[in-house]
Amino acid sequence: MRVHVAFTPDEAAEAPTGVVIDVIRATSTICQALASGYERVYCAAEVEEARALAGGLEGAVLGGERRAVKIPGFDLGNSPSEYVEPQGRAVVMSTTNGTRAIVTAAGRCERVLVASLLNLAAAVAAAAAHGEDVAVFCAGVQGAFTLDDAYVAGRVAELLDGASSDAAEAAIRLSRSFASAEEAFHLSHSGRNLHAAGLDADIAWCARESVLEVVPRFVGMHGTAAEISL
Amino acid sequence: MRVHVAFTPDEAAEAPTGVVIDVIRATSTICQALASGYERVYCAAEVEEARALAGGLEGAVLGGERRAVKIPGFDLGNSPSEYVEPQGRAVVMSTTNGTRAIVTAAGRCERVLVASLLNLAAAVAAAAAHGEDVAVFCAGVQGAFTLDDAYVAGRVAELLDGASSDAAEAAIRLSRSFASAEEAFHLSHSGRNLHAAGLDADIAWCARESVLEVVPRFVGMHGTAAEISL
């Protein structure tokens, strides 16, 4: 099995199996929501798309943030801890970088799995079970590399233990250069933004490894939104 | 000074000062050619563009490779050692990834410098002398990340010693994970291709740090070719 990593969605990478990471915080929140009992999560890039979609879905709650703060009129923000007690059957999330990464992976892979540290072991086992090459897509921020996603990509590549591309080798070496996930997350742009917003608890939450057994999968597009479920 | 790294040309990055790296082998060869006495180097993405350009330039030699082998009808391949004794006044190089990286940087930066390990200290000093933010652009291969360019980007970022973006921090950590440039180059996709072509001597040549004092600069476009001189 060959393992490749795209540190940003624009980077060239394709494989039968895709794994998408936006660890702070979209894919952590997706994993938590589905593990908690929500039946599906819809990822929309724009706030108005999310509102319109939620308006047409029974039992949907609206979640998301801009600059780490809950969007006005939305039911929930983007902290995974807000998704432990289901308040409906589905979540419609507004996440720009996460949606872009999922849609990119869906265009290049036969199947797309959603990974965070929370479901690391389960996601790696599911990707390995397909027995085909794997491309790991980091969401990044606005087309740029982020340390937090790259760290998780390194953990995924290390556990997959396949033939690493240059990028997968780099991701493994990068993740090994940190003493812990929390160290990497705190140093990252996304982590510093959470810290500035008083959301250090979210960093600690997202830095826990392999505590959820779920493997969220991309089901298909629902208009312009990516539908995710188990 | 803020320091950013784009591991592939498509990655988001802009700054007043751009530094372009395609260490195996285009930017190493450019540095060597200009240090040896060639007055300018033109980088063309396509072979036929290079041929057409060289046909209209007096004293131009044609250089370049495809799959590590000299292009039929060209004067020189892409080994920097072939450029120690000038055989004309200018070099027209065919280099797909290198040209793309230079053109990308030229579109996003006020000035673009060309770096390799050979001229590392000189390029870093020139970039720092401008006193403005720096974006380092790795050429990569066909839009994908490569270890050899990322290693050199890490060395540039480390020596610039500015405020690192997430990508610059990752590049520094990556370069520190190798015992030497040669170790990184041998492990890289580009280095393995050179090894397979019997060109290990080129890896050793390109892995020497700060042995040339030149700082090649992007002058402007000459049709579809990027013109480089001191």
Side-chain angles (χ1 to χ4, degrees):
Chain A
M1 177 206 306
R2 286 181 299 181
V3 180
H4 191 62
V5 170
F7 289 117
T8 62
D10 285 336
E11 196 174 323
E14 54 185 300
T17 303
V19 175
V20 175
I21 297 164
D22 187 2
V23 69
I24 296 178
R25 294 172 288 173
T27 60
S28 297
T29 297
I30 292 168
C31 291
Q32 184 62 61
L34 292 170
S36 301
Y38 284 100
E39 292 171 11
R40 54 199 72 247
V41 176
Y42 299 90
C43 296
E46 303 301 332
V47 171
E48 289 312 316
E49 289 171 1
R51 278 192 221 276
L53 178 56
L57 287 173
E58 202 178 340
V61 299
L62 266 169
E65 46 84 20
R66 284 299 180 273
R67 299 175 180 273
V69 174
K70 191 175 86 170
I71 296 165
F74 273 38
D75 303 299
L76 302 168
N78 198 20
S79 293
S81 57
E82 297 178 80
Y83 293 80
V84 171
E85 298 292 336
Q87 300 183 22
R89 292 173 56 190
V91 177
V92 179
M93 286 182 70
S94 170
T95 166
T96 305
N97 299 307
T99 301
R100 181 175 167 198
I102 292 167
V103 170
T104 297
R108 301 190 197 163
C109 304
E110 293 168 24
R111 64 193 73 90
V112 177
L113 315 180
V114 172
S116 61
L117 278 187
L118 297 174
N119 73 331
L120 179 67
V124 167
H130 287 293
E132 297 192 90
D133 294 348
V134 176
V136 182
F137 294 86
C138 298
V141 172
Q142 296 177 338
F145 177 104
T146 57
L147 276 174
D148 49 320
D149 292 336
Y151 175 89
V152 181
R155 294 292 296 135
V156 169
E158 186 165 35
L159 294 181
L160 280 171
D161 196 25
S164 291
S165 70
D166 277 24
E169 174 70 25
I172 292 170
R173 286 172 176 266
L174 177 66
S175 67
R176 287 179 182 162
S177 79
F178 290 100
S180 67
E182 275 202 72
E183 186 192 7
F185 290 2
H186 276 289
L187 190 60
S188 74
H189 180 79
S190 304
R192 293 198 306 270
N193 283 347
L194 283 187
H195 176 72
L199 293 168
D200 284 310
D202 278 9
I203 298 178
W205 186 290
C206 295
R208 293 172 305 141
E209 200 170 277
S210 304
V211 296
L212 301 177
E213 291 301 317
V214 294
V215 185
R217 293 161 192 272
F218 170 74
V219 176
M221 295 305 291
H222 193 94
T224 57
E227 181 180 345
I228 310 288
S229 68
L230 300 182
Chain B
M1 176 205 307
R2 285 179 299 180
V3 180
H4 190 63
V5 170
F7 289 117
T8 63
D10 285 336
E11 197 174 322
E14 55 185 300
T17 303
V19 175
V20 175
I21 298 164
D22 187 3
V23 70
I24 297 178
R25 294 173 287 172
T27 61
S28 297
T29 297
I30 292 168
C31 290
Q32 184 61 61
L34 293 170
S36 300
Y38 285 101
E39 293 170 12
R40 53 199 73 246
V41 177
Y42 300 90
C43 297
E46 303 299 333
V47 171
E48 289 312 316
E49 290 172 2
R51 277 192 219 276
L53 178 56
L57 288 173
E58 202 177 341
V61 299
L62 267 169
E65 46 83 20
R66 284 299 179 272
R67 299 177 179 272
V69 175
K70 192 176 84 169
I71 295 165
F74 273 38
D75 304 298
L76 301 168
N78 198 19
S79 292
S81 57
E82 297 178 80
Y83 294 81
V84 172
E85 297 293 336
Q87 301 183 21
R89 293 174 55 190
V91 178
V92 180
M93 287 182 71
S94 170
T95 166
T96 306
N97 298 307
T99 301
R100 181 175 168 197
I102 291 167
V103 170
T104 298
R108 301 190 196 163
C109 304
E110 293 169 25
R111 64 193 73 90
V112 176
L113 314 180
V114 173
S116 61
L117 278 187
L118 297 174
N119 74 332
L120 179 68
V124 166
H130 287 292
E132 297 191 272
D133 294 348
V134 177
V136 181
F137 293 87
C138 298
V141 173
Q142 296 177 337
F145 177 104
T146 57
L147 276 173
D148 48 321
D149 292 335
Y151 175 89
V152 181
R155 292 294 295 134
V156 170
E158 185 165 35
L159 293 181
L160 280 171
D161 198 24
S164 291
S165 70
D166 277 25
E169 173 71 26
I172 292 170
R173 286 171 175 265
L174 178 66
S175 65
R176 287 180 181 162
S177 77
F178 290 99
S180 68
E182 274 203 73
E183 186 193 7
F185 291 1
H186 276 289
L187 190 60
S188 74
H189 180 79
S190 304
R192 292 198 307 270
N193 283 349
L194 283 187
H195 175 73
L199 293 168
D200 284 310
D202 277 9
I203 297 178
W205 186 291
C206 296
R208 293 172 305 141
E209 200 170 277
S210 304
V211 295
L212 301 177
E213 291 300 317
V214 294
V215 184
R217 292 162 194 272
F218 170 74
V219 176
M221 296 305 293
H222 192 94
T224 57
E227 181 180 346
I228 311 288
S229 69
L230 299 182

